[in-house]
Amino acid sequence: MRVRRDLVWIPVFAALVAFAVPWPLWGVDRVVAGLPAWIWWHVGWLVLCSAAFRLFVRSGAWERGMGLDSPGGAGGTDASAGRGDRR
């Protein structure tokens, strides 16, 4: 059974996909620190995506979604024993 809080990840990832393209910066020729603003958008977006994926994995939502519930709860390290490498 899918935990209700895992459903929160669906709109989070939808937002990450929707804003992966810097559409707010279309037509903007601004340069910041020697690079176009849309490059900085991508750098910031990748940092945000990395943080979101880290939270996603640490919350245990990945294991629950894949049917690999960990006995220790969210983000437990015991789930990797005998079930593959999660590193």
Side-chain angles (χ1 to χ4, degrees):
M1 182 174 133
R2 182 170 281 180
V3 178
R4 182 176 258 180
R5 69 177 179 218
D6 291 346
L7 298 177
V8 171
W9 289 107
I10 294 171
V12 168
F13 286 120
L16 289 175
V17 170
F19 289 100
V21 176
W23 56 266
L25 296 175
W26 285 357
V28 174
D29 294 332
R30 188 176 313 141
V31 175
V32 179
L35 294 174
W38 61 269
I39 295 264
W40 292 112
W41 174 279
H42 281 297
V43 170
W45 205 250
L46 288 174
V47 170
L48 182 65
C49 287
S50 298
F53 285 127
R54 180 177 168 89
L55 287 174
F56 176 70
V57 171
R58 291 184 63 87
S59 72
W62 175 257
E63 283 87 3
R64 286 188 295 276
M66 298 303 290
L68 302 171
D69 287 334
S70 63
T77 58
D78 294 337
S80 63
R83 295 184 183 161
D85 193 358
R86 292 182 12 180
R87 287 180 264 164

